[in-house]
Amino acid sequence: MDAMRNVHPALFVAGLVAVGVLLAAWATYEAKREREEVSSALAAEAILLARALGPGLLAAESAMREVDEQITSKALSNARILADLPSRARPDSTALERIALENGLDTLAILTRGCQVQSLAGVLPSPAVREAIHDVCRAESDEAILGSSVEEGVEHITVAVAMEGGGAVLVRIHAESSQALVQRLGVSNLLEKLAGTGGVLYLEFTTGAIDASPAYATWDGGEMPPALPGDAALRELRGRPVFEVPVALDAYAGERAQLRVGLDGRALERASASAMRRTLLVYIVLAVFSLVAAAFAFVNRARSIERMEATRRITQAEAARRRSERLAAAGALTAGLAHEVRSPLNAIGIAAQRIERKHEDGGECRDFAGRIRSEVRRLENTLRQFLELAQPVSSQRECVDLAPLVEETRRLLEVEAQDRKITLEAPSGSAAARVNDEAIRRAVINLIRNAVQASPDGASVAMTLGQADGRAVLQIADRGPGIE
């Protein structure tokens, strides 16, 4: 403790602040490093998964294309054979039904130049389909291949081949069998088997083909979220933390492919929470250190102020003591000097009085004696003032009615004022104050004498008592010239 007291407060506070800053920097660095490690581990897991799935997904995608191409090729072959027949050899509806049944065709129709049905086996083509192949019926286009998008909710492949002289052969094959195969071997089936297992929350496979739609699967069967911009990132999806990583795949024939992997981000969230707790703990420790430093500085400051105040009080007391000693010595010297001087003055005054009485008839001796007595009275008055100054002033105060005090003082000095024919008016008003009776009497006497001395012969001195702002006020007004 003694060693800590000797430490300068500024150095101690600076040391605590430096330690706190270092702890905060270390905690922040550790939190960032742990988060980066978990992120790197999740990204590596997503890349490994994508590389393992990539060849299978690309093969399934290729197989799906081959199935579609085979179905399309089969439909085109049947349509071309019928379109190449001469008009007299074209089959009727009964023959068309037999051909459709033998070849597994859903619809087989011979259309006129205006795309009207001439012969039909199976389902009647919708107006939308006939509108889409209108150019083929008018021989403006040789062939047309239509997908399922022409008729919503119907999975099929439709082809139309123009006949010589106008009209067209339309063949439509349901995609049920191919869809069942795709469901067993296709991309969507593979993705659905993986989504929701091993920390994989969702997968989305996208190829660079223009007409290809992304295949995806989620852990809860919900919609696939939109892709995040940039690289790997943590997101919140349906109340769960998800760490998403887009991985590019090497596709066939220079095509682009991508697998978007959504992994369970709870591990990263736990790491972030743990890092946040450690950082918060460090900040709490830093706050405690700061409070300790502030308290230490405050206590030292308070003690320093107390020491300075005590030193100041001791210095003032010592100065007051020395001043009292000097005043006591001066008072004793003044009192002694006054007593020593008063005796010869009395003797001189008595001698002057005798001389003045002896020469009552006047003359120069009488004048000199009068002057001597006058100077003796002046010196006695000065000695009296010295003696009053040397006496200690009492600090005792009491409530005094100032009106009788001023009136008494006025009567005491009225004889001196009459020598110069100066009128001392009676005090008007009243006032009371807590004062030292003796000191206030001397002050009033001095004020009235000064007013008498400053006033011209025959003038008057007015005295007024009153209250102002909670204070007693005594005004003594004379007709003198005033003070510059």
Side-chain angles (χ1 to χ4, degrees), residues 6 15 128-129 144 149-150 166 184 205 218 258-259 298 306 351 368 377 381 397 451 473 478:
N6 294 329
V129 172
S149 59
V150 178
R184 292 193 304 272
F205 179 70
T218 61
Q258 178 180 276
L259 181 64
F298 177 78
E306 289 178 357
F368 280 131
R377 286 195 298 270
N381 186 38
R397 298 186 181 189
V473 178
D478 57 51

Side-chain angles (χ1 to χ4, degrees), residues 3-20 288-298 300:
M4 290 184 65
R5 292 193 186 99
N6 294 329
V7 176
H8 196 279
L11 295 178
F12 183 72
V13 173
L16 287 178
V17 171
V19 171
V288 172
F289 278 179
S290 299
L291 289 176
V292 171
F296 181 80
F298 177 78
N300 276 273

Side-chain angles (χ1 to χ4, degrees), residues 81-354:
I81 292 173
L82 293 175
D84 289 340
L85 293 176
S87 59
R88 62 178 179 277
R90 290 171 186 166
D92 55 10
S93 297
T94 304
L96 288 178
E97 289 180 0
R98 179 175 53 79
I99 295 171
L101 182 61
E102 291 176 353
N103 291 274
L105 305 179
D106 175 58
T107 299
L108 181 58
I110 296 178
L111 306 178
T112 64
R113 186 177 182 83
C115 277
Q116 299 300 317
V117 178
Q118 184 176 349
S119 301
L120 175 64
V123 181
L124 179 68
S126 66
V129 172
R130 285 179 288 172
E131 179 66 26
I133 63 172
H134 196 72
D135 293 343
V136 178
C137 293
R138 292 186 299 179
E140 295 178 0
S141 178
D142 294 335
E143 297 177 351
I145 301 174
L146 307 178
S148 301
S149 59
V150 178
E151 294 180 287
E152 295 182 0
V154 181
E155 294 292 337
H156 61 263
I157 295 176
T158 303
V159 298
V161 177
M163 296 186 299
E164 186 178 354
V169 176
L170 183 143
V171 176
R172 183 169 67 172
I173 301 176
H174 268 303
E176 293 178 353
S177 58
S178 63
Q179 289 297 322
L181 179 61
V182 168
Q183 289 296 326
R184 292 193 304 272
L185 302 177
V187 173
S188 297
N189 186 49
L190 294 176
L191 297 181
E192 289 174 0
K193 289 182 178 180
L194 288 172
T197 62
V200 180
L201 297 184
Y202 59 78
L203 295 165
E204 182 187 55
F205 179 70
T206 307
T207 60
I210 298 176
D211 58 347
S213 299
Y216 68 87
T218 61
W219 83 95
D220 59 355
E223 291 294 327
M224 187 71 183
L228 292 176
D231 296 330
L234 185 67
R235 71 190 305 175
E236 187 77 15
L237 180 62
R238 295 195 276 277
R240 298 189 64 170
V242 181
F243 186 74
E244 181 177 298
V245 184
V247 183
L249 301 175
D250 295 329
Y252 301 118
E255 290 184 354
R256 293 170 301 168
Q258 178 180 276
L259 181 64
R260 189 154 62 103
V261 182
L263 299 176
D264 192 348
R266 285 179 293 185
L268 182 58
E269 197 172 58
R270 285 194 297 269
S272 299
S274 176
M276 285 294 294
R277 285 194 296 269
R278 288 199 300 272
T279 304
L280 180 61
L281 179 61
V282 169
Y283 286 147
I284 291 174
V285 173
L286 177 59
V288 172
F289 278 179
S290 299
L291 289 176
V292 171
F296 181 80
F298 177 78
V299 170
N300 276 273
R301 178 63 177 170
R303 290 179 176 176
S304 177
I305 292 174
E306 289 178 357
R307 288 194 295 268
M308 292 173 62
E309 184 65 21
T311 303
R312 185 182 65 81
R313 287 197 297 267
I314 292 173
T315 303
Q316 290 179 347
E318 182 65 22
R321 185 186 63 80
R322 289 195 296 268
R323 192 163 50 250
S324 298
E325 290 177 353
R326 287 197 298 270
L327 289 174
L333 178 63
T334 302
L337 180 61
H339 284 294
E340 292 294 331
V341 173
R342 179 173 286 181
S343 296
L345 282 179
N346 288 334
I348 294 173
I350 293 172
Q353 185 179 8
R354 287 181 178 179

Side-chain angles (χ1 to χ4, degrees), residues 336-411:
L337 180 61
H339 284 294
E340 292 294 331
V341 173
R342 179 173 286 181
S343 296
L345 282 179
N346 288 334
I348 294 173
I350 293 172
Q353 185 179 8
R354 287 181 178 179
I355 293 173
E356 191 175 10
R357 288 177 180 176
K358 187 177 181 179
H359 299 278
E360 291 180 354
D361 54 350
E364 187 177 3
C365 288
R366 182 178 177 82
D367 291 339
F368 280 131
R371 291 180 185 178
I372 291 172
R373 290 188 65 191
S374 176
E375 292 300 321
V376 167
R377 286 195 298 270
R378 188 175 65 81
L379 288 175
E380 285 181 344
N381 186 38
T382 302
L383 288 175
R384 180 179 55 80
Q385 292 178 354
F386 270 116
L387 289 174
E388 290 178 354
L389 180 63
Q391 293 176 354
V393 179
S394 174
S395 60
Q396 183 177 1
R397 298 186 181 189
E398 57 184 2
C399 188
V400 175
D401 186 357
L402 297 180
L405 185 147
V406 174
E407 175 60 19
E408 183 180 347
T409 306
R410 183 188 72 82
R411 291 177 180 177

